[in-house]
Structures are given as C-alpha cells and as structure tokens.
C-alpha cells in the first residue's frame, strides 16, 4: 500500500513553468507505475503522462509532448512532472496515481485510464492565467 501527496501547483502566467511533485509514503514508488492525470472544470479527466515501474518507460499525451517531462527521484520517493510553456488550457486539477508493478509496454494502453490504478492522490490545482 502507498499513500500519494501532490504538491507544486499554483498560479502561473502563460509561458511559465511549474514542477509538480507526487510524493509517496508507505512503500517505494519505484515499484509502481505512476500516472499524472488532470481534470478541468466541466471536462473529463485525462491522462497527462505516465512512467512505468522498474524500466521507467514513459508515455505523454499529445498535448504534453515537448512541454512536459516526467521523472523519478527514488531517493526522495517522488515522481515529478515538469511543465514548461504552460497555456491557459492547461488549467486543471492535477492528480497522480500508482499501480504496483505496472509496465506500460504490456497489457495495452491501460495506463491511460485513471481507474486502472490502485492508489490516488488528492490533487493540486494548476491555474495558468495572466
């Protein structure tokens, strides 16, 4: 079992950057696939980026490619989402989720589905506005 806490959200101007953190306790996140999801008001939740357990394979949604980077710091038991060149349409609550032993390369695109994960954080608000 693992507990997840997100941090790093806030208000940023268009073109700015934020680094979100998904910190784990109770178990080592390196043994989990971690997915970042977001949900804007009135919209469905969507996957942003994922990192596989053990082999660190990664996935990015089209809107995240070239702007966002997912990474692990195993010493801090944290997974980061670096977000650059933020746009107003990136405004949303961002949440992380964990799946024990999850590998992105097997089982089809399960990692794009929030409910396929086993543990979830509470989320952090990101607002991009001038």
């Amino acid at each position: 079992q693992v507990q997840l806490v997100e941090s790093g959200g806030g208000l940023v101007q268009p073109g700015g950057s934020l680094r979100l953190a998904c910190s784990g306790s109770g178990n080592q996140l390196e043994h989990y696939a971690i997915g970042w999801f977001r949900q804007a008001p009135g919209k469905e939740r969507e996957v942003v980026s994922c990192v596989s357990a053990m082999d660190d394979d990664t996935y990015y949604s089209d809107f995240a490619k070239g702007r966002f980077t997912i990474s692990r710091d195993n010493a801090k038991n944290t997974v980061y989402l670096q977000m650059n060149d933020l746009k107003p349409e990136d405004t949303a609550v961002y949440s992380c989720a964990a799946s024990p032993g999850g590998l992105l390369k097997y089982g089809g695109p399960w990692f794009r589905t929030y409910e396929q994960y086993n543990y979830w954080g509470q989320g952090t608000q990101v607002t991009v506005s001038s």
Side-chain angles (χ1 to χ4, degrees):
Q1 188 167 334
V2 67
Q3 292 78 46
L4 305 174
V5 177
E6 301 93 339
S7 61
L11 173 64
V12 63
Q13 292 186 342
S17 298
L18 284 173
R19 188 178 73 162
L20 305 184
C22 174
S23 300
S25 60
N27 217 326
Q28 291 298 114
L29 290 188
E30 64 185 304
H31 302 305
Y32 294 76
I34 302 296
W36 279 100
F37 293 82
R38 72 183 187 182
Q39 188 166 22
K43 294 188 177 181
E44 292 190 357
R45 183 183 290 112
E46 60 182 347
V47 64
V48 178
S49 179
C50 312
V51 60
S52 187
M54 294 176 277
D55 64 10
D56 281 352
D57 191 15
T58 58
Y59 167 84
Y60 294 93
S61 289
D62 286 344
F63 64 81
K65 290 177 182 176
R67 298 192 298 133
F68 296 0
T69 303
I70 193 168
S71 63
R72 292 184 183 273
D73 185 335
N74 292 333
K76 294 184 178 180
N77 207 26
T78 298
V79 174
Y80 296 102
L81 184 68
Q82 177 68 43
M83 305 189 296
N84 299 328
D85 190 24
L86 284 162
K87 306 175 189 300
E89 52 264 41
D90 294 318
T91 295
V93 175
Y94 285 70
S95 303
C96 62
S99 173
L103 299 175
L104 272 58
K105 66 179 68 174
Y106 298 120
W110 63 268
F111 47 86
R112 299 183 199 169
T113 304
Y114 189 73
E115 290 76 14
Q116 290 292 325
Y117 292 76
N118 301 87
Y119 306 98
W120 303 270
Q122 293 299 310
T124 185
Q125 176 70 46
V126 171
T127 302
V128 184
S129 175
S130 55

